[in-house]
């Protein structure tokens, strides 16, 4: 146990020093856009490194005195926050509810947009949020991971869509804009560079989220196609993949060809291997007569 604690401390230290994990985003024109009195929308993830129930999606609208936010937890709870504009440019807003409060700076980089966060009297939760075109428009997949041989090595594994519809299987698909990985030691890795898929059941190259029926419930997950990805964690490359098929029923994961059902997504890092799982049961499968149903035994055909 002492070795494990020491190793996590080293990981956290390396992570804090690694240039590979510096979180950046272009925000040069954001303040000017907000000054034109148009609402700016953000979608993201909320979590805590030691509390699995304190994990969910967050949506933020920056619109002067009409600013608002909501957190949708994996347990089905939805907490709404009212905004209080802190500067006349409306770039910084303080949000509060009966469960907590936080300050959101729309002009900051995504790793530092949220400060002074308190939720249920806990002050060390985290938020990662990206700008999207419409309120609630960015698809979000909430997930978790753990090591095969040591389940105590675990954390959250979430994916954010960019909110822009692409032509995949008709509609309701978005490119993955960011993957957020955390660990119980407290580090947060934000990877904004998804690799193109080589092969896979979609034929590549896009890595994307897909909501075939357009009805992902509060706290629910879309499908995701993310074959053979890499992420730098503490300067060491992690290899991973997640093919999660919400359209095929509860907790359906498939291989890279979408022809074989598997137990989970996978990851490997620094000599460790483990699984990636969606955080909640998916809705019941579509009926055989539903036009949106996809046969797991047949590769998908792009339009």
């Amino acid at each position: 146990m002492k070795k494990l604690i020491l190793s996590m401390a080293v990981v956290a230290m390396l992570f804090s020093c690694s240039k590979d994990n510096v979180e950046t985003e272009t925000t040069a024109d954001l303040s000017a856009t907000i000054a034109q009195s148009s609402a700016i929308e953000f979608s993201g993830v909320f979590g805590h490194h030691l509390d699995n129930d304190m994990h969910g999606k967050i949506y933020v609208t920056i619109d002067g005195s009409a600013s608002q936010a909501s957190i949708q937890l994996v347990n089905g709870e939805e907490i709404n926050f009212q905004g209080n504009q802190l500067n006349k440019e409306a770039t910084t807003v303080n949000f509060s509810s009966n469960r907590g409060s936080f300050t959101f700076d729309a002009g900051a980089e995504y790793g530092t947009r949220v400060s002074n966060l308190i939720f249920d009297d806990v002050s060390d939760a985290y938020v990662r949020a990206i700008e999207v075109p419409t309120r609630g428009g960015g698809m979000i997949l909430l997930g978790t991971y753990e090591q095969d041989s040591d389940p105590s090595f675990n954390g959250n594994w979430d994916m954010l869509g960019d909110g822009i519809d692409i032509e995949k299987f008709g509609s309701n698909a978005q490119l993955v804009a960011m993957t957020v990985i955390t660990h119980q030691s407290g580090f947060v890795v934000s990877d904004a560079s998804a690799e193109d898929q080589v092969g896979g059941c979609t034929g590549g190259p896009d890595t994307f989220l897909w909501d075939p029926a357009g009805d992902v419930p509060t706290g629910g997950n879309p499908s995701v196609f993310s074959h053979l990805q890499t992420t730098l964690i503490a300067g060491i490359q992690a290899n991973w993949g997640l093919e999660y098929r919400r359209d095929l029923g509860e907790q359906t994961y498939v291989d890279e060809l979408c022809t074989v059902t598997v137990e989970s997504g996978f990851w490997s890092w620094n000599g460790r291997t483990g699984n990636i799982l969606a955080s909640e049961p998916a809705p019941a499968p579509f009926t055989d007569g539903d036009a949106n149903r996809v046969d797991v035994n047949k590769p998908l055909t792009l339009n």
Side-chain angles (χ1 to χ4, degrees), residues 278-296:
S279 290
E280 44 74 46
F286 298 127
T287 63
D288 290 339
D290 194 302
N292 289 313
R293 179 150 177 93
V294 180
D295 188 347
V296 71

Side-chain angles (χ1 to χ4, degrees), residues 42-57:
F42 296 86
S43 295
V45 292
F46 161 82
H48 188 274
H49 61 286
L50 293 177
D51 188 342
N52 293 335
D53 290 329
M54 197 180 291
H55 184 203
K57 306 175 183 181

